[in-house]
């Protein structure tokens, strides 16, 4: 079962950390409370910086255009989440819910106990790429949401319920064989390279695009081969090299560390290579996947088995409590949405309109791809 470590009780939908003041750049009004374009952009960037796009520079390198289907998907998601955030903020204020210093200390202690130490928490915060101020803001939001939920219904999961869940879901506690590995990635993702080339030349022909892609691919392969030579010459510097050159920025910050994972968690090419290696070895050659070229270091292995109930009991309790809390929050949100007065000052931020635009953009993309295949 996936362990939830930081601010895990409440959905990340609620951790945008925005205030709602009137402004000329208002894009949505929720019961008279304004959501501005600036707040939207801040929330969107935060979403992108904590998504799969973090490995490619996150919000800084993401193409924010209505021609980009992925952008429209994130735009729709962010707009909905900001509306929910506004409604819940108003409900918190209505119920007089506040956060004291003692609340912050108690919540911090709970999180530290879960992750093991203050030092480990500091590492996790750094890995998420957020500042201490942002973390404290998220923590305060976390506490408010817990208090809001408890004001509706207090959730308590019994030992009988945790044991019942364990017995009814045996497959959830079976662990496949796993390896612990690190990697250095030199990206050669076809979509990312295509976007880079188009940004330089929007009118490039299909023929020239193919040539540029081949050239870029060759350059990245040469770079990866040079880095592999460096790693082979200085295997003890693997972590330092990963921090400096890996295009997977999230793992790169940790020296390439990916932790333990089962075979099915990674793309086939990566898993086949990692699971064929012995602990404390580095791949002899580059491993090519759709993401690019990888240099893999395997540091440990774990045999398949079942996690004993006593070791997983508290995680089950935490998981079940979280599920119940989110149900309460979902029901509350749905009720608030039904009576909310929502005015889309800028219609392009209406989730329904964004969904239509995304469908249209996807259709146009598919037509272009078909035309390119015929050529």
């Amino acid at each position: 079962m996936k362990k939830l470590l930081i601010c895990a009780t409440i959905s990340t939908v609620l951790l945008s950390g925005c205030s709602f003041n009137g402004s000329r750049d208002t894009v949505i009004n929720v019961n008279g409370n304004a959501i501005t374009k600036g707040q939207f952009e801040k929330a969107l960037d935060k979403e992108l910086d904590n998504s799969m796009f973090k490995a490619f520079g996150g919000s800084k390198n993401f193409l924010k255009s209505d021609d980009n289907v992925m952008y429209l998907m994130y735009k729709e998601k962010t707009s909905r989440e900001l509306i929910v955030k506004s409604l819940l903020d108003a409900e918190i204020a209505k119920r007089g819910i506040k956060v004291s210093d003692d609340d912050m200390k108690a919540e911090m202690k709970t999180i530290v106990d879960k992750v093991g130490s203050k030092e480990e928490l500091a590492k996790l915060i750094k890995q998420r790429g957020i500042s201490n101020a942002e973390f404290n803001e998220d923590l305060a939001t976390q506490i408010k949401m817990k208090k809001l939920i408890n004001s509706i219904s207090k959730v308590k999961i019994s030992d009988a319920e945790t044991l019942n869940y364990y017995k009814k879901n045996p497959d959830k506690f079976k662990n496949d064989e796993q390896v612990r590995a690190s990697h250095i990635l030199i990206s050669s993702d076809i979509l990312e390279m295509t976007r880079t080339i188009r940004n330089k030349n929007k009118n490039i022909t299909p023929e020239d695009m193919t040539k540029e892609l081949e050239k870029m691919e060759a350059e990245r392969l040469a770079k990866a081969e040079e880095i592999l030579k460096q790693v082979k010459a200085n295997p003890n510097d693997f972590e330092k090299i990963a921090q400096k050159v890996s295009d997977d920025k999230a793992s790169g910050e940790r020296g390439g560390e990916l932790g333990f994972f089962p075979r099915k968690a990674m793309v086939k090419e990566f898993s086949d290579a990692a699971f064929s290696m012995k602990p404390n070895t580095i791949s002899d050659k580059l491993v090519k996947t759709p993401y690019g070229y990888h240099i893999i270091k395997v540091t440990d292995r774990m045999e398949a088995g079942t996690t004993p109930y006593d070791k997983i009991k508290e995680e089950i309790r935490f998981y079940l409590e979280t599920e119940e809390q989110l149900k309460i929050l979902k029901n509350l949100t749905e009720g608030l949405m039904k009576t909310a007065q929502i005015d889309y000052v800028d219609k392009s931020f209406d989730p329904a309109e964004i969904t239509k635009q995304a469908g249209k953009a996807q259709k146009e993309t598919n037509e272009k791809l078909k035309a390119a295949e015929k050529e």
Side-chain angles (χ1 to χ4, degrees):
M1 179 180 290
K2 185 176 180 182
K3 191 171 183 180
L4 307 178
L5 296 175
I6 298 181
C7 299
T9 305
I10 309 302
S11 169
T12 52
V13 164
L14 310 174
L15 300 181
S16 299
C18 299
S19 58
F20 297 91
N21 302 311
S23 173
R24 291 180 180 177
D25 67 343
T26 296
V27 292
I28 305 172
N29 262 314
V30 182
N31 291 336
N33 295 317
I35 298 173
T36 68
K37 189 174 182 180
Q39 289 164 347
F40 167 82
E41 289 173 349
K42 180 182 176 182
L44 175 64
D45 285 351
K46 187 173 183 178
E47 186 78 35
L48 292 169
D49 290 336
N50 285 287
S51 73
M52 61 182 178
F53 293 104
K54 182 178 181 179
F56 303 103
S59 58
K60 292 180 181 178
N61 294 333
F62 190 82
L63 180 61
K64 298 173 184 176
S65 166
D66 285 346
D67 294 328
N68 181 358
V69 176
M70 289 302 297
Y71 168 72
L72 290 170
M73 290 173 64
Y74 277 96
K75 183 178 181 180
E76 187 269 347
K77 183 174 184 289
T78 302
S79 292
R80 286 188 185 279
E81 289 176 357
L82 286 173
I83 291 168
V84 170
K85 177 73 168 59
S86 179
L87 290 169
L88 292 176
D89 275 355
E91 189 66 17
I92 287 169
K94 178 182 175 182
R95 292 173 186 246
I97 294 171
K98 299 183 183 299
V99 177
S100 68
D101 289 342
D102 287 342
D103 291 331
M104 291 290 284
K105 289 176 183 177
E107 190 71 8
M108 181 67 79
K109 184 179 184 304
T110 299
I111 294 173
V112 169
D113 289 344
K114 279 189 174 69
V115 302
S117 68
K118 290 182 178 179
E119 292 72 23
E120 190 61 29
L121 176 60
K123 287 181 184 177
L124 289 167
I125 292 172
K126 185 177 179 181
Q127 287 169 14
R128 288 183 65 196
I130 62 174
S131 66
N132 287 331
E134 288 173 321
F135 175 74
N136 287 332
E137 185 180 352
D138 284 352
L139 195 63
T141 301
Q142 171 90 351
I143 295 167
K144 288 177 184 177
M145 292 304 163
K146 280 186 176 181
K147 287 189 172 186
L148 175 59
I149 291 166
N150 287 335
S151 72
I152 299 169
S153 177
K154 291 187 177 181
V155 176
K156 188 172 182 180
I157 301 298
S158 67
D159 288 349
E161 289 174 295
T162 61
L163 181 59
N164 183 54
Y165 186 86
Y166 182 81
K167 289 180 177 179
K168 286 190 173 183
N169 299 276
D171 290 343
K172 290 184 182 292
F173 308 103
K174 289 180 181 177
N175 302 313
D176 294 333
E177 180 188 11
Q178 297 184 55
V179 298
R180 183 180 182 182
S182 302
H183 81 143
I184 297 170
L185 170 67
I186 301 303
S187 173
S188 68
D189 178 87
I190 188 69
L191 292 177
E192 180 263 328
M193 291 194 298
T194 300
R195 184 166 63 246
T196 299
I197 294 168
R198 285 200 181 280
N199 284 341
K200 293 179 180 178
N201 184 359
K202 298 187 182 297
N203 299 316
I204 192 169
T205 64
E207 293 80 8
D208 287 340
M209 172 63 79
T210 300
K211 290 178 182 178
E212 287 297 317
L213 285 172
E214 290 174 349
K215 179 183 176 183
M216 189 175 287
E217 177 75 16
E219 290 172 349
R220 297 192 177 189
L221 173 57
K223 179 180 178 181
E225 288 175 337
E226 181 58 34
I227 293 169
L228 179 59
K229 287 180 183 178
Q230 293 177 28
V231 171
K232 285 184 175 180
N234 303 283
N236 291 333
D237 290 342
F238 186 96
E239 288 75 17
K240 291 181 181 178
I241 296 171
Q243 288 173 340
K244 289 180 179 179
V245 304
S246 182
D247 287 329
D248 180 354
K249 301 304 180 185
S251 70
E253 291 175 358
R254 305 187 296 272
E257 175 68 53
L258 297 169
F260 278 100
F261 57 86
R263 183 180 288 272
K264 61 186 178 183
M266 301 292 182
V267 293
K268 185 178 185 302
E269 300 91 339
F270 192 98
S271 286
D272 286 349
F275 279 83
S276 69
M277 296 166 60
K278 294 179 180 179
N280 301 313
T281 61
I282 296 172
S283 51
D284 291 329
K285 58 183 180 179
L286 297 172
V287 178
K288 183 70 168 69
T289 75
Y291 299 102
Y293 298 96
H294 306 256
I295 302 168
I296 302 173
K297 179 181 180 180
V298 171
T299 54
D300 204 352
R301 297 184 79 97
M302 186 186 297
E303 298 300 321
T306 300
T307 304
Y309 171 68
D310 288 342
K311 286 189 176 182
I312 202 73
K313 174 182 174 181
E314 292 309 314
E315 285 191 39
I316 295 173
R317 191 191 313 280
F318 182 69
Y319 170 76
L320 293 177
E321 285 176 351
T322 300
E323 289 294 293
E324 287 303 311
Q325 288 168 339
L326 290 175
K327 285 179 185 176
I328 292 169
L329 208 53
K330 182 174 182 289
N331 290 336
L332 172 63
T333 301
E334 288 177 350
L336 293 173
M337 285 290 288
K338 287 179 181 178
T339 58
Q341 295 288 326
I342 302 174
D343 176 23
Y344 297 103
V345 179
D346 184 334
K347 301 299 181 185
S348 71
F349 287 86
D350 182 342
E353 291 301 317
I354 299 170
T355 300
K356 290 180 183 177
Q357 180 68 19
K360 181 180 177 183
Q362 185 64 65
K363 183 179 178 181
E364 290 175 354
T365 299
N366 292 339
E367 289 174 351
K368 288 178 182 178
L369 289 172
K370 287 179 181 179
E373 287 174 0
K374 290 179 181 179
E375 294 178 0

